[in-house]
Structure formats: structure tokens, C-alpha cells
Amino acid sequence: MAVKIRLARHGKKNYAYFHIVVADARAPRDGRLIEQIGLYNPNTNPATIVLDGDRALDWLNKGAQPTTTARRILSYEGVLLRKHLQGGVAKGAFSQEEAERKFAAWKTEKDSKYASKKQSIEKAVEEAARAAVKAEAKVNEERAEAIAKKKAEIAAAAEAAAREAAEAAAAAAAEAEAPAETEAPAEAPAEAPAEAPAETTEA
């Protein structure tokens, strides 16, 4: 029976994660499996990998063939390096202690690179967040300036309208008072005619 180490898809659309499984090569991708040996989630940054290295190494020694993606994951986690070192020990090229020391040195270097990468990603995220805050503050400032300018224009227009209304009212009042002041004085009543002297009667 041909045995494969491969990925089985889980999750939902546009947010998939994968189980690292050992399965018969003839079984469907997400079908029957022999054993689950890990988890791979590419949605995080950096990607999350949880792998049982001892079980993966055991299956490799039994002849299981990893797929291309599974091989990259096994290489990233050092499983293929352990298999290579075990081959060197079996051939007598170096001792088991030396193999373990080489793997520990590789593991330390890999962990330091991972920590550096994670720190750089976090720093980039923080810088992006600060840039977004600055950009939002700038937009808010420009918006506030535009609103203040608009309010000033409205206030100036209202003041001008009020001034024009006051001037119009003053002009109307002046026009209303002008006829009364310039009206000609009323004519003096005609004097009564002097009474004629009473006629004298003859004695």
C-alpha cells in the first residue's frame, strides 16, 4: 500500500486550514486517513505549524512519501534534517551525540530567525497602524478646517444679509419720515371781512 504524507483541507471558503495527515495514496484528499500528525494554518502571519516530528520521522522511515507542500513543511520543521542525520549515524559518519548537537544548533538558528521575522512583522504592523492613525488625523483636521471655513462663510453671509436688511429698514424709515417734514404748512384761515359801520339814523 502506497502511503502519503499530505494535507487535508478544512475550514471555510477563503479561510482554509489544513491537517497534516498520513493516508493511503488512493484515498480522497479529505477522505479516509491513517493518522493525523499535525496542523498547518496559512492564514496567520507567519503561518502556524503544529507537527509531531517524531511520528512524521517514523512514517518517513517506514517509506511514506510526502507531497511537495508536505515536504516543505517537514523540511521547515527539521524532520528531513533529522532523517538525514540518522542516516549519517547509521553509516558511522558521526556519533549520535554529534548528530543531536548539529540538530540543536540548527534548531537554535531556526528559532532565532523565526523570532526575528515575527518581530519584524509586528514592527511593520505597528508602523502601519501609526501611519493609519496619522492619515486619519490629517483627514479629520482637513475636514474640520473645511467645516470651520464653511461655517465662517455662512456666518459672513448671514451678517451681510442682516446688515443689508438693517440698511433697507433704515432707508424705508427715512422715506416714511421725509414727507411729513417737507409738507407745506397749512394755509392761514382767511380773515373775516371788516364789519361795515353801522348806518346812522337821521334824527
Side-chain angles (χ1 to χ4, degrees):
M1 178 179 68
V3 178
K4 289 279 189 180
I5 300 176
R6 63 188 184 190
L7 303 183
R9 190 183 192 279
H10 292 271
K12 58 185 179 180
K13 186 177 180 180
N14 298 326
Y15 196 87
Y17 63 91
F18 303 87
H19 290 170
I20 304 172
V21 300
V22 179
D24 186 350
R26 296 167 294 181
R29 182 196 65 181
D30 304 329
R32 185 178 178 182
L33 56 91
I34 299 173
E35 183 181 357
Q36 179 182 338
I37 59 175
L39 177 71
Y40 170 59
N41 183 5
N43 300 297
T44 60
N45 192 10
T48 301
I49 299 175
V50 179
L51 180 68
D52 187 344
D54 294 334
R55 293 302 300 155
L57 181 60
D58 182 58
W59 278 107
L60 287 176
N61 290 332
K62 289 178 180 178
Q65 295 298 314
T67 61
T68 303
T69 305
R71 179 178 293 276
R72 290 175 182 173
I73 293 173
L74 295 179
S75 176
Y76 182 79
E77 290 297 308
V79 177
L80 298 182
L81 176 61
R82 288 175 61 187
K83 186 174 185 299
H84 173 73
L85 293 174
Q86 280 187 356
V89 173
K91 293 177 182 178
F94 42 78
S95 64
Q96 182 66 32
E97 291 76 12
E98 187 176 355
E100 292 177 356
R101 185 170 61 254
K102 287 183 178 181
F103 181 76
W106 176 88
K107 184 71 173 175
T108 301
E109 183 180 359
K110 184 245 183 184
D111 291 342
S112 64
K113 288 181 179 179
Y114 178 84
S116 176
K117 180 180 179 181
K118 188 173 182 180
Q119 185 177 4
S120 64
I121 290 173
E122 292 176 352
K123 185 177 180 181
V125 170
E126 291 177 359
E127 290 178 354
R130 283 197 294 268
V133 169
K134 289 182 179 179
E136 184 177 358
K138 184 177 180 181
V139 170
N140 291 338
E141 184 179 355
E142 292 176 353
R143 188 177 300 166
E145 290 178 356
I147 291 174
K149 184 178 180 181
K150 189 173 182 180
K151 286 183 178 180
E153 291 175 356
I154 292 173
E159 184 179 355
R163 187 167 55 250
E164 290 177 0
E167 292 176 355
E175 290 178 0
E177 292 177 358
E181 294 177 353
T182 59
E183 188 178 351
E187 295 181 359
E191 295 181 358
E195 295 183 359
E199 295 181 359
T200 55
T201 55
E202 291 181 358

